[in-house]
C-alpha cells in the first residue's frame, strides 16, 4: 500500500493490506524499501480466525 522512508526516529517501513489484514513491515534502510518490488509474508489462520505471520518478512527485488 504505502512505502515510508526513514526519518529521525522512525525506520523505513511498508504498510501492507491483504485479506482484511493490515501489517507494517520494517526494513533495514531506505534502499531496501526502494529497490524491492514486493514483500513475502507467510501467514496462517489462528484459533480465532485471524491471520498471524509465522516467519519474518522478506523484501524481494525483481
Amino acid at each position: 500500500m504505502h512505502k515510508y522512508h526513514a526519518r529521525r526516529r522512525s525506520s523505513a517501513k511498508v504498510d501492507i493490506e491483504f485479506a482484511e489484514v493490515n501489517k507494517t513491515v520494517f526494513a533495514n534502510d531506505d534502499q531496501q524499501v526502494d529497490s524491492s518490488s514486493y514483500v513475502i509474508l507467510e501467514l496462517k489462520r489462528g484459533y480465532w480466525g485471524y491471520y498471524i505471520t509465522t516467519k519474518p518478512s522478506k523484501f524481494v527485488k525483481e
Side-chain angles (χ1 to χ4, degrees):
M1 282 177 46
H2 302 284
K3 293 182 178 181
Y4 300 99
H5 291 279
R7 298 287 183 242
R8 292 181 185 165
R9 292 187 178 170
S10 64
S11 58
K13 63 184 178 180
V14 177
D15 287 338
I16 299 170
E17 182 180 342
F18 169 76
E20 300 177 10
V21 174
N22 293 325
K23 174 83 174 156
T24 300
V25 180
F26 292 94
N28 295 333
D29 56 14
D30 289 340
Q31 184 180 8
Q32 187 178 24
V33 171
D34 289 336
S35 65
S36 62
S37 300
Y38 57 93
V39 177
I40 296 176
L41 294 174
E42 188 171 317
L43 303 172
K44 70 175 187 176
R45 241 186 229 274
Y47 181 76
W48 300 105
Y50 297 106
Y51 284 104
I52 301 168
T53 55
T54 58
K55 291 186 179 180
S57 308
K58 293 173 69 176
F59 286 85
V60 179
K61 297 179 186 179
E62 192 167 26

